[in-house]
Amino acid sequence: ARIFLWTAAGFGVKVGLPMMDGGASKTAYFPPVLAGTCGWSHDDWAGVFYPKGLPPAKWLAHYAAEFGAVEVDSTFYHVPGAEQVRHWREQVPGDFRFCPRTPREITHENRLHDCGRLMTDFLKAVSGLGECLGPVLVQLPPGFTLPAHDRDLRDFLRGLPRDFQYAFEFRQPDLRRGGLVDLLGEHGAAWVWSDRHPPETQKIAPFEFLPQSTSFLYVRLLGDAEADYALPPGERPRYRIPTVDRDPALGLWRTKLHLHTMGTTMAYVFSGNHFEGHAPATARKMDAISRRKHPVHQMELL
């Protein structure tokens, strides 16, 4: 018998990559990827990512000219009004996607308990984005545990309208279990792949518990703010240029996405400032490597 291993060129990682033509091709393909950042209204990006002098009111349009999606951070703090949502929609092309964070009143303050009406109001607000609405992120706090919140989670999932997409992020390591993945899958919700590792352990994240519970992927490259930035007391980080080298981790994330080519309708990949020090730079890397075909080397073992 012959076993073939496919190695992603440039990263030295042996992976079983699905080939688009049944095995004969020597080119690996990504699933469709929309890369972007966690939020777009960062003052530190002015004069760096945003042209000098560009007013904040035009930042979103400038952002959408380069990236295909954005994770909306502001919705975590308050539900946007109809006029605000309409303004966002008018600034972007029709194939752009907004992925709003569920308000903290639902996820962190009430921890999903009896939040049907709150969630309905939130979804009604963001539905004004129309075709530009992507998956809704439900980021749960570290204190959200099972079985303590099992009933709340199940009731919340059952009450979600099926005409929206959802991605759930669980932050407690002991929640990495198959039964929870199956529960999300039953409701068509994605298990968020989140990378919060410091630079010293950056190669670990792509090999952690990263199940695929539905047809789309939702990836958050966040990094560890405390580990990445040792600053004097009272001094805040400046997110104007990359300050951390995470190319090894990005190479592994690239390979991870290759492995999920078949059966994936879309991969949303969002970068935070803490990952490399400047989120747009990370998003550009992910966008670039997802847009081109990557040669791979075939190694035959007898």
Side-chain angles (χ1 to χ4, degrees), residues 179-246:
L180 188 52
V181 178
D182 293 340
L183 178 63
L184 292 186
E186 291 171 7
H187 295 275
W191 180 287
V192 171
W193 296 358
S194 182
D195 185 345
R196 297 175 179 271
H197 277 268
E200 295 77 16
T201 58
Q202 63 175 282
K203 293 183 179 181
I204 295 177
F207 296 100
E208 291 184 321
F209 185 76
L210 300 172
Q212 183 170 359
S213 58
T214 191
S215 61
F216 69 92
L217 300 174
Y218 196 105
V219 185
R220 305 185 79 212
L221 306 178
L222 302 176
D224 184 336
E226 294 181 3
D228 288 356
Y229 300 95
L231 298 171
E235 184 175 339
R236 72 171 186 84
R238 301 281 290 177
Y239 305 118
R240 299 181 65 80
I241 60 172
T243 57
V244 179
D245 178 16
R246 288 188 183 261

Side-chain angles (χ1 to χ4, degrees), residues 13-32:
V13 180
K14 298 177 181 179
V15 295
L17 295 173
M19 294 295 104
M20 300 299 289
D21 59 3
S25 174
K26 293 186 179 180
T27 301
Y29 292 81
F30 261 67

